[in-house]
Amino acid sequence: MSIPSRRAKDRIVTALLYSLMAAVILLLAGVLAFIVKNGLSALSWDFLTQPPRDAMTRGGIYTPLIGSIQLIAVAMAFAFPVGVLTAVYLVEWARDGLFTRTLRLAVRSLAGVPSVVFGLFGLSFFVVVLGFGASLLSAGLTLGCLVLPVIVGASEAALSAVPRDYRDASYAMGATKWQTIRKVVLPAAFPSILTGAILAVGRVAGETAPIIFTGAAFFTPRVARSLLEPVMALPYHILVLATAGTAIDETRPIQYGTVLVLLVLVLGVTLVGVLFRAKLRMEKRR
Amino acid sequence: MKDQSALKADRLPRALIAAVATSGLAIMLFILFFLLKESLPALRETTLGELMTGAFWYPTAEPAEFGLLPLLMGSVSVTLLTSALALPFSLGLAVFLAEVCPSALREIFKPLLEILGFFPSVVLGFLGMVVLAPWLQERFSLLTGLNLLNASLLMGIMILPIVASLAEDALSSVPRDLRDASYALGATGFETTWRVVLPAALPGILQACLLGVMRAIGETMVVLMASGGAALIPRSVMDPVRPLTSTIAAEMGETPIGSAHYHVLFFAGLLLLIMTLSINVGALWIERRGRKWRT
């Protein structure tokens, strides 16, 4: 092939790839604009602070909003310590043996388990066998299991990135391994671990399938006051209003409003994580 | 002697942390155990052959029919169509980000792509119902716009950021020397990408595609809301389908615990788990092969 035609081909492909990226950005902008435009009219202070009324055809989303926050709290209370300690073990202590390899394989497989299968597991284990019933506790723990591999992965990367010098310096001063981990390695890795956890919160907030039969309620008259009560949750509330309500078309404004609030919650949390990570990277580069 | 006691003091935290670390393994084993335990009784109600080849899914009829074939075909068809739509697009994006895009722009585009990846699936499903479905229905004068194509388009949006970012990592980890050597021979940017960088990154790219496919098989909310929910073997992309995931999500809530229907739904979950775990193992295998092949 002649050189000009090869160059032309190169230009065409480059233009094509630019248009792919442009298409994605347009899509993202279009979707966000559509949701904001339709959801904004439903938003008000009352929408956020009033529970749903009249068979969920009026009122606000106070109960599902608080329910979602409670679910995040339970899930992270379980997944954060367990995930970070698992990563500590894998990075600091694990030798390449059968146990370590099995553990890594298990965590990796866990990351690929479909969310609805987590729901089935939560139903049979937390709800039935442990007897927690369909509750905040069951649903929160199920979400915690789902997000565990995300936290392990992020913490592993964070711990591995702590320079060897830090550890050596600590040992040279006579510290034991555990003292070194606790006082040197974990504090150094903590900002990155936290970033991973923030991104995990974004994931937990939007999940629906694992909670449908482990504790998310169609409707509850009030916010759950104990771990053993069922909760409403924003993503499930959207599903219910959009597919199973008695007045699907009349409640469209509420649906758009709920979608907007969920999106602001998820993307807001995610954005904090992404910005925080960018800041960390800039600091590291200096 | 003080050193000795300090080392001993290390043993307890180490043992405790090792114990906590085992929970990841325990959860995975528990998932396998409970899915097997709750799904095997299904074989008492019906046979494996009937479950896998039965063409009718009437779980609440008298007598009930538990044919998983239409649900399985639903899952397979959505996954195939999603892959056909989204994988080429994702790889194009990955090439753009890794090879073409100026690095200043990349710092903006990558977070944007990441944000798309954090969209809750229930929100995408909702958009499928209120935007895509009416449009499809009108444009192609269909009875309903909730169908295979609708769900696959949305699912494509879901897996796009995942596949693109993993594939971009694979492309970026190809050593610069290879590109420089290609340019030194007079190749254009496209020729270098196509003949040098892509082949070198192939294991990582395959892995990215497999993980995207795995995500598509297991995704629930999009298909629950946008795929139409008819338990039929689809004959065209405009037919409604009912994949395994959405069937479980839609029916488990109303099924008495311990009934035949309950156990069959667990069996459907087991099938999903087997499919995703095998893809995971495949991805792992490619990773190992890729590493060996490179050294």
Side-chain angles (χ1 to χ4, degrees):
Chain A
M1 226 190 302
S2 67
I3 289 175
S5 83
R6 283 168 53 203
R7 289 229 175 99
K9 201 169 168 190
D10 187 51
R11 285 213 192 103
I12 292 169
V13 173
T14 307
L16 197 72
L17 293 177
Y18 265 97
S19 56
L20 282 186
M21 191 70 226
V24 171
I25 291 174
L26 278 179
L27 177 77
L28 181 64
V31 166
L32 286 175
F34 177 80
I35 292 172
V36 170
K37 184 181 136 245
N38 286 287
L40 217 50
S41 58
L43 278 199
S44 66
W45 184 243
D46 280 351
F47 188 66
L48 295 176
T49 56
Q50 295 295 316
R53 279 183 291 119
D54 302 340
M56 301 198 288
T57 55
R58 270 184 289 168
I61 52 165
Y62 180 70
T63 350
L65 179 60
I66 299 297
S68 270
I69 293 170
Q70 288 172 317
L71 283 170
I72 293 171
V74 174
M76 295 309 284
F78 166 72
F80 185 72
V82 172
V84 173
L85 289 181
T86 303
V88 166
Y89 180 78
L90 284 173
V91 173
E92 304 291 333
W93 272 311
R95 274 177 229 120
D96 193 31
L98 184 66
F99 174 70
T100 311
R101 247 181 276 161
T102 321
L103 184 56
R104 276 185 202 279
L105 184 68
V107 171
R108 196 182 161 132
S109 311
L110 213 51
V113 172
S115 54
V116 73
V117 172
F118 275 102
L120 291 176
F121 160 69
L123 172 65
S124 57
F125 185 55
F126 298 125
V127 176
V128 177
V129 172
L130 294 185
F132 297 156
S135 64
L136 170 57
L137 185 60
S138 299
L141 288 176
T142 306
L143 288 172
C145 293
L146 174 121
V147 86
L148 184 67
V150 180
I151 295 186
V152 174
S155 310
E156 255 196 288
L159 291 167
S160 309
V162 175
R164 230 197 113 73
D165 302 0
Y166 285 32
R167 295 186 177 86
D168 289 344
S170 170
Y171 293 143
M173 293 170 80
T176 66
K177 184 135 198 170
W178 172 233
Q179 285 166 333
T180 305
I181 293 169
R182 203 160 40 106
K183 303 241 171 90
V184 177
V185 180
L186 273 178
F190 194 70
S192 311
I193 293 179
L194 199 64
T195 312
I198 294 171
L199 293 176
V201 166
R203 176 88 193 276
V204 169
E207 279 291 345
T208 322
I211 59 174
I212 296 179
F213 23 85
T214 53
F218 192 83
F219 176 75
T220 57
R222 60 179 171 86
V223 168
R225 286 183 202 156
S226 92
L227 283 170
L228 294 176
E229 282 178 38
V231 286
M232 292 180 82
L234 288 176
Y236 188 54
H237 194 56
I238 295 171
L239 176 71
V240 166
L241 288 181
T243 60
T246 43
I248 290 174
D249 286 325
E250 284 90 287
T251 59
R252 277 286 186 244
I254 301 185
Q255 295 169 27
Y256 280 114
T258 316
V259 166
L260 180 58
V261 172
L262 177 67
L263 208 58
V264 167
L265 181 71
V266 171
L267 296 189
V269 167
T270 308
L271 206 62
V272 169
V274 169
L275 291 177
F276 196 56
R277 193 182 54 197
K279 188 171 156 271
L280 284 181
R281 268 190 207 147
M282 300 262 270
E283 276 168 10
K284 207 168 271 176
R285 230 173 264 168
R286 245 174 248 152
Chain B
M1 283 307 108
K2 201 179 159 207
D3 292 345
Q4 284 295 321
S5 69
L7 284 178
K8 247 180 212 157
D10 246 25
R11 268 187 216 154
L12 184 66
R14 187 192 159 143
L16 283 176
I17 288 175
V20 172
T22 317
S23 21
L25 180 58
I27 292 169
M28 192 61 230
L29 291 177
F30 272 39
I31 289 177
L32 279 173
F33 170 77
F34 278 101
L35 260 85
L36 278 170
K37 172 179 165 274
E38 297 290 356
S39 62
L40 290 183
L43 299 179
R44 237 182 281 146
E45 314 282 344
T46 167
T47 64
L48 187 63
E50 263 171 64
L51 272 177
M52 300 302 290
T53 59
F56 301 101
W57 177 254
Y58 298 126
T60 51
E62 280 295 335
E65 289 207 54
F66 297 116
L68 289 175
L69 189 65
L71 314 184
L72 208 55
M73 293 309 288
S75 284
V76 170
S77 58
V78 172
T79 305
L80 285 180
L81 188 56
T82 300
S83 308
L85 292 169
L87 292 185
F89 204 112
S90 315
L91 296 184
L93 270 183
V95 168
F96 174 76
L97 286 169
E99 306 296 314
V100 179
C101 185
S103 64
L105 277 179
R106 183 163 53 217
E107 298 297 316
I108 304 169
F109 287 158
K110 278 188 77 172
L112 283 179
L113 198 61
E114 203 175 6
I115 285 175
L116 192 63
F118 269 94
F119 259 67
S121 51
V122 70
V123 171
L124 287 173
F126 180 74
L127 290 174
M129 292 180 75
V130 298
V131 182
L132 207 49
W135 182 78
L136 282 173
Q137 191 175 355
E138 204 170 309
R139 178 77 179 68
F140 299 98
S141 33
L142 305 167
L143 286 174
T144 167
L146 298 173
N147 57 27
L148 175 55
L149 180 63
N150 187 337
S152 301
L153 282 169
L154 293 163
M155 192 95 88
I157 297 177
M158 281 216 74
I159 71 166
L160 180 86
I162 304 170
V163 180
S165 87
L166 288 171
E168 198 253 347
D169 288 345
L171 291 168
S172 300
S173 66
V174 172
R176 239 201 105 73
D177 302 1
L178 285 180
R179 293 187 185 85
D180 290 344
S182 167
Y183 285 127
L185 289 171
T188 63
F190 169 69
E191 285 162 350
T192 303
T193 304
W194 187 248
R195 306 225 184 116
V196 178
V197 182
L198 275 176
L202 199 61
I205 287 175
L206 276 178
Q207 224 187 343
C209 293
L210 279 181
L211 292 181
V213 168
M214 183 170 82
R215 192 67 189 270
I217 293 178
E219 169 46 42
T220 310
M221 299 320 292
V222 162
V223 286
L224 179 60
M225 296 171 86
S227 74
L232 300 166
I233 296 171
R235 287 170 198 289
S236 96
V237 295
M238 297 300 181
D239 280 352
V241 289
R242 189 181 187 86
L244 292 162
T245 49
S246 63
T247 309
I248 299 171
E251 296 174 14
M252 189 49 102
E254 280 108 54
T255 309
I257 290 173
S259 64
H261 188 191
Y262 174 89
H263 293 306
V264 173
L265 288 177
F266 266 92
F267 190 84
L270 186 66
L271 286 181
L272 283 170
L273 189 62
I274 291 171
M275 284 192 265
T276 50
L277 284 183
S278 4
I279 292 181
N280 219 335
V281 169
L284 203 65
W285 184 77
I286 290 175
E287 190 181 309
R288 295 244 165 92
R289 282 293 301 251
R291 220 182 285 150
K292 236 180 249 166
W293 176 70
R294 213 172 278 165
T295 49

